[in-house]
Amino acid sequence: MRIPVSKPISVLKSPEVTRSSSDLLADFLRLKISANTRRNYSKAITDFCRRNYDSEVSTDLLTQFLSLHQPEAVYQVLQYRQLLIEAKLAPSTINIRLSALKSFVDYARQAEQCSFNLADVRCLKVDSYGDTTGIEVTGFKEMLQIPDRSTVKGIRDYAILRLLWDNALRRNEICSLDVGDFDKSGRLSILGKGKIQKSQIDLSPATTIAISQWLTARDNYQASAPLFTSLDRRSKGHRLDGSTIYRLVREFSEAAGIDKIVSPHRIRHSAITAYLDASDGNIRAAQSLSRHANLNTLNRYDDNRHKYQAIATNTLADLV
């Protein structure tokens, strides 16, 4: 059963709470530290309204949803989960959207704007990091030769590639960097995935020089300015976004003659795997490099590197 959008349900308010549901949503999104998280959560709630109720986000619609009783609210979100499954979205994408809804509802409950919770709505099981294959070291070396370092753009792009490889940074970690996060002594403060505080990492001498050269090539800037900025005429000086970094990596990989589709995250996979190869499987150091909290993730990298499953399969095949 879907909410009849044309018949608003009265909102549940405590005497002290007078905010509208749209204000509540805006306040909720402002709490998200990462711009990427804010964007994903806003997209999830918009998608929920469109798929379940065939309507754009509105104060009336959010008010009706937050006014539901527990069984109906759980049913509505389970219905949404099923629609996402039928649309063949990736389990990780489905889980992000469900997490956004659950988080919004939790915030609304704390603000006494709703009386239900979504604890009974389970996320999908995800086989994370099943594919950790990347590109060969020689392939990345070719990519590093592509940026024209006699130009400002080439200097910037080269520094970004070094961070993707030398420190296995995620593209959103690069996008969120400010000038003040960089220390010329060879340290960088990054906002890691799922973190609310920045932590320091060590840079290689090559990466330190590359970032220093980029800052030298830039116009005047302040410590609070984005570390990496757009150079396009329309958006010059604005913070570089993740889609631009993705596009740059694709262009460089194609120019280097790499057959497979290369993304920033695939470079991250490649760097971690290359380190495990070079260090004879030093999992502890690889964990510090990747900043994975769960060692099982690094074990998956190591298993894929050794191709244990293929060895077992071929051994069984030889027995018969």
Side-chain angles (χ1 to χ4, degrees), residues 167 182-188 201-205 207-209:
N167 290 94
F182 173 63
D183 188 327
K184 290 185 178 180
S185 67
R187 303 275 285 171
L188 188 69
I201 59 173
D202 292 302
L203 300 175
S204 69
T207 301
T208 303
I209 292 171

Side-chain angles (χ1 to χ4, degrees), residues 76-181:
Q76 293 287 343
V77 179
L78 287 175
Q79 179 190 49
Y80 176 59
R81 186 181 67 178
Q82 186 59 35
L83 290 173
L84 295 178
I85 293 171
E86 291 173 359
K88 301 187 186 306
L89 270 66
S92 57
T93 300
I94 294 174
N95 289 345
I96 288 173
R97 296 189 180 177
L98 292 176
S99 296
L101 275 173
K102 295 170 83 168
S103 184
F104 175 54
V105 166
D106 286 343
Y107 181 73
R109 288 184 71 228
Q110 293 172 15
E112 299 184 21
Q113 295 283 321
C114 82
S115 61
F116 63 83
N117 68 74
L118 297 176
D120 291 334
V121 178
R122 301 291 179 87
C123 290
L124 303 184
K125 185 176 180 180
V126 178
D127 185 16
S128 60
Y129 298 94
D131 179 11
T132 59
T133 58
I135 58 175
E136 299 294 330
V137 175
T138 53
F140 188 76
K141 282 184 177 179
E142 290 293 326
M143 288 180 62
L144 275 179
Q145 304 306 311
I146 303 302
D148 181 359
R149 293 163 67 189
S150 67
T151 67
V152 175
K153 181 179 182 301
I155 293 172
R156 181 201 67 183
D157 295 348
Y158 178 80
I160 290 172
L161 287 177
R162 293 236 61 125
L163 282 172
L164 287 170
W165 180 267
D166 294 1
N167 290 94
L169 290 191
R170 302 172 178 90
R171 58 176 167 165
N172 288 325
E173 291 170 339
I174 294 177
C175 293
S176 65
L177 291 171
D178 294 329
V179 171
D181 294 328

Side-chain angles (χ1 to χ4, degrees), residues 236-266:
K236 185 175 181 180
H238 293 184
R239 186 179 296 275
L240 206 64
D241 60 29
S243 61
T244 300
I245 294 178
Y246 183 90
R247 186 171 62 253
L248 291 175
V249 167
R250 286 289 302 273
E251 290 174 357
F252 294 148
S253 64
E254 291 172 2
I258 299 174
D259 293 333
K260 64 175 62 176
I261 294 176
V262 181
S263 65
H265 212 68
R266 177 152 271 171

Side-chain angles (χ1 to χ4, degrees), residues 33 189-200:
I33 303 298
S189 297
I190 66 168
L191 185 63
K193 181 180 179 181
K195 306 296 183 182
I196 60 174
Q197 289 185 323
K198 291 187 175 183
S199 58
Q200 282 198 328

